[in-house]
Amino acid sequence: QVRLVESGGGLVQSGASLNLSCVASGRTYSRYTTAWFRQTPGQERKFVAAVTWTGGGTHYSDSGKGRFTISRDNAKNTVYLQMNSLKPEDTAVYYCAASLGGLDVRRERYTYWGQGTQVTVSS
C-alpha cells in the first residue's frame, strides 16, 4: 500500500509560479509511474502531467505543456510539479496519483491517490 500526500498549493496572482510536491510513503520501492490531475467543482478530474519511475519519460496535457514541468527525486520519495505563468483557469484542486503501469492520461489507470492541494490563481 502507498500513501501520497500533496503540498505546495496556495493563492497566487496571475503570472506567478508554484511548485507542488507529492511525497510517497509505504511500498515506495515499487517502480510507480506518477501523475498529476486537477479538478474543479462539478467537473471531471483531468490529466495534467505524468512521469515514469526513472524520470526519463514524461507526458503533458495541452494546457500544461510549455508551462508545467513534472520531475521526481526517488531518493526523497517525492514527485514535483513546477507550474509557471499561472492563469486563473489553472485554479483547481491538484491531486497526485500512482500506477504500476506506464504513462497514461486515464484516471482509472491509477491505483493510489493523494488528498489534493488547492491552487487558486487570481487575476
Side-chain angles (χ1 to χ4, degrees):
Q1 189 173 358
V2 174
R3 186 187 182 207
L4 305 175
V5 179
E6 305 96 330
S7 63
L11 173 62
V12 298
Q13 294 181 325
S14 181
S17 297
L18 282 173
N19 190 18
L20 306 184
S21 297
C22 174
V23 179
S25 61
R27 306 187 76 83
T28 56
Y29 53 83
S30 297
R31 300 185 178 188
Y32 293 105
T33 291
T34 306
W36 288 92
F37 290 76
R38 67 188 186 187
Q39 186 173 26
T40 56
Q43 296 187 305
E44 289 186 342
R45 192 168 298 185
K46 298 179 179 179
F47 175 82
V48 177
V51 62
T52 60
W53 178 80
T54 64
T58 60
H59 182 67
Y60 298 90
S61 66
D62 289 340
S63 62
K65 189 175 182 179
R67 298 188 298 126
F68 297 175
T69 302
I70 188 169
S71 62
R72 70 194 306 151
D73 185 345
N74 289 337
K76 298 180 179 179
N77 296 320
T78 302
V79 175
Y80 304 95
L81 184 67
Q82 178 66 46
M83 303 189 294
N84 298 324
S85 302
L86 283 164
K87 307 172 182 179
E89 52 261 44
D90 295 318
T91 296
V93 177
Y94 284 70
Y95 299 87
C96 64
S99 171
L100 286 172
L103 295 171
D104 205 299
V105 304
R106 295 169 292 180
R107 62 184 183 273
E108 62 266 27
R109 303 302 297 176
Y110 293 85
T111 303
Y112 302 103
W113 293 84
Q115 84 291 342
T117 185
Q118 177 71 50
V119 172
T120 303
V121 184
S122 63
S123 60

